[in-house]
Amino acid sequence: MGKFVDFIVDYDPDPRVVGKRILKNITTMRLKYNKPCIIFVGGDSGEGKSTFGIKLLEIVDEAYGVELDIENQIIYIPLEYAHKIKKILYGKGKFKKYRAIQLDEAREVIKAKLWYTFINQALADINVLTRAIKPIVTIIISQKIKDIDSSIRSTLTYYMTASRPLGKRTRVKIWRLWMDDRDIENPRLRKRRLKGYIIKDGKRIPFTPKYFEVEMPSKKIMKEYNETNTKAKGDIIKRKLDAILQEIKEDLGEPLERVTTIANYYVNNPESIHLVMRRYRNKLKAKTEVKKLHGFTVKESKEFEKILMEKLEKKGMVEQAKKSI
């Protein structure tokens, strides 16, 4: 195995237990030696990136004897960044024990260029602050590694990709990133598979995991996550829509079909559809939260679902929408 040993864990007949032990080992052992752990999780929409991030948060929290705090340990939108990272790093009481935070993807509510700027500035800040105050596990959820500037990319500890085969759990592949500076004039960031040992009957068995299968967090946790995520991102979308509606009203000088305009917004911004629609028996249905989010009556909510589905079908986008949820 050479000089690269990322983990040493005890054997268990259940591969899910071994997987959890490895994930705990590669994250918390760095904190133990006062080193930050920065993880990038990439993949297309609907592949389970955020779900996996939540499982990682749970594993780190369990190691430090705290319960997952969905509201404070996940940054849903950039506007939350400053006060949430301050709580994790400087907070007292329960916050003092928190050693992990997740930057959830916010591409569906801000322009790609702004997301790129935010995520890179946030990473630069985290690198400085976590070294000076306390090391933490930072999980970044985004679609592509290119969202991270090349100068910041070298600070990442692990690169992970999530994919969800049809009818199966999310599978996550993990690579350890390292800087190859053998040519000091042209150092290059490289990746390699995780490598380690499983101890069985007192013997060390070399092990290189191909991928990790992710178990869903509890229904309670996912319900809380989805509600908090929808509210945080939905508030921004609502403000955008209100501005669009007002602009159209001023231009036309007459009332307009609000439900149709809102449906058009989601057709033109399909990355946001998961905030208002859910899959039920392989069909798309409006979430109950859509009424509160956009101030719909029961009738308007049904009309929104009907109009949105008609527009998605007309554009041949139904399957794409299902995949993103």
Side-chain angles (χ1 to χ4, degrees):
M1 187 166 288
K3 64 179 180 179
F4 299 120
V5 178
D6 300 303
F7 60 86
I8 300 175
V9 299
D10 290 328
Y11 169 78
D12 191 278
D14 187 342
R16 293 172 297 183
V17 173
V18 174
K20 183 177 177 180
R21 287 174 180 172
I22 292 173
L23 293 173
K24 176 183 176 182
N25 197 278
I26 66 174
T27 51
T28 60
M29 285 301 289
R30 287 188 63 83
L31 304 188
K32 181 179 178 181
Y33 288 97
N34 210 35
K35 293 183 177 183
C37 181
I38 303 178
I39 298 167
F40 179 90
V41 184
D44 293 335
S45 295
E47 296 297 320
K49 301 186 299 293
S50 293
T51 302
F52 177 69
I54 291 171
K55 288 301 292 186
L56 274 180
L57 288 175
E58 281 188 311
I59 289 169
V60 176
D61 283 348
E62 184 181 297
Y64 283 87
V66 294
E67 290 187 7
L68 175 62
D69 186 338
I70 283 289
E71 182 178 350
N72 291 297
Q73 286 187 273
I74 298 178
I75 297 170
Y76 297 91
I77 55 175
L79 295 173
E80 300 175 338
Y81 170 74
H83 75 269
K84 285 193 175 181
I85 197 70
K86 185 177 179 181
K87 280 183 180 180
I88 298 293
L89 294 175
Y90 299 97
K92 297 180 180 179
K94 66 178 182 180
F95 295 107
K96 195 171 183 179
K97 289 186 176 183
Y98 291 172
R99 303 299 290 270
I101 195 165
Q102 176 169 309
L103 276 68
D104 221 23
E105 186 169 23
R107 195 188 299 269
E108 60 263 68
V109 294
I110 63 174
K111 293 178 180 178
K113 187 176 180 181
L114 290 176
W115 172 244
Y116 176 87
T117 302
F118 162 71
I119 198 171
N120 282 285
Q121 185 57 56
L123 268 178
D125 291 345
I126 287 168
N127 268 304
V128 173
L129 293 171
T130 58
R131 291 174 190 277
I133 302 162
K134 71 177 181 183
I136 63 172
V137 175
T138 304
I139 304 164
I140 303 105
I141 307 294
S142 198
Q143 287 188 9
K144 306 294 181 185
I145 189 69
K146 287 187 176 180
D147 289 336
I148 309 296
D149 187 79
S150 57
S151 62
I152 303 291
R153 218 175 289 164
S154 60
T155 64
L156 299 177
T157 313
Y158 299 107
Y159 169 55
M160 307 184 182
T161 60
S163 62
R164 184 169 56 185
L166 287 176
K168 297 184 181 293
R169 292 189 178 123
T170 293
R171 293 177 178 178
V172 176
K173 295 180 179 179
I174 303 178
W175 291 267
R176 178 71 164 89
L177 298 182
W178 63 287
M179 183 59 69
D180 182 355
D181 58 0
R182 286 173 292 185
D183 179 356
I184 60 174
E185 298 296 332
N186 187 32
R188 297 187 65 182
L189 185 65
R190 299 186 185 276
K191 66 178 185 178
R192 60 170 176 78
R193 291 283 191 183
L194 283 186
K195 296 180 180 180
Y197 293 102
I198 295 177
I199 301 176
K200 183 179 181 182
D201 299 327
K203 295 180 181 180
R204 289 188 174 188
I205 303 171
F207 182 57
T208 300
K210 290 183 179 179
Y211 59 83
F212 293 78
E213 275 201 345
V214 183
E215 285 188 278
M216 286 287 288
S218 69
K219 289 183 179 180
K220 178 185 175 184
I221 286 174
M222 288 310 299
K223 182 175 183 291
E224 188 179 350
Y225 167 76
N226 287 326
E227 287 176 352
T228 309
N229 185 42
T230 299
K231 184 180 186 310
K233 293 173 180 173
D235 285 349
I236 291 181
I237 289 175
K238 187 175 183 300
R239 273 184 272 169
K240 284 184 176 183
L241 283 168
D242 287 345
I244 292 171
L245 289 166
Q246 184 59 38
E247 187 177 340
I248 294 174
K249 282 181 181 178
E250 291 174 358
D251 184 52
L252 298 178
E254 60 183 32
L256 77 161
E257 290 295 328
R258 189 171 70 95
V259 176
T260 301
T261 302
I262 292 173
N264 283 335
Y265 174 87
Y266 287 104
V267 172
N268 294 326
N269 296 272
E271 67 277 5
S272 301
I273 286 177
H274 70 279
L275 297 173
V276 291
M277 301 294 280
R278 62 187 177 91
R279 289 180 68 165
Y280 178 73
R281 295 182 178 176
N282 206 34
K283 293 183 179 180
L284 292 178
K285 297 287 184 182
K287 288 184 174 181
T288 55
E289 294 93 329
V290 76
K291 288 194 294 183
K292 183 177 180 181
L293 179 60
H294 292 301
F296 288 158
T297 62
V298 173
K299 183 179 178 181
E300 285 175 330
S301 182
K302 290 180 179 179
E303 183 184 357
F304 167 77
E305 181 184 302
K306 180 174 178 288
I307 293 171
L308 180 57
M309 288 306 301
E310 286 174 352
K311 290 179 177 292
L312 289 174
E313 286 171 3
K314 188 175 181 180
K315 290 192 171 232
M317 294 172 59
V318 174
E319 291 306 314
Q320 177 190 341
K322 285 181 182 178
K323 189 176 179 182
S324 70
I325 297 174

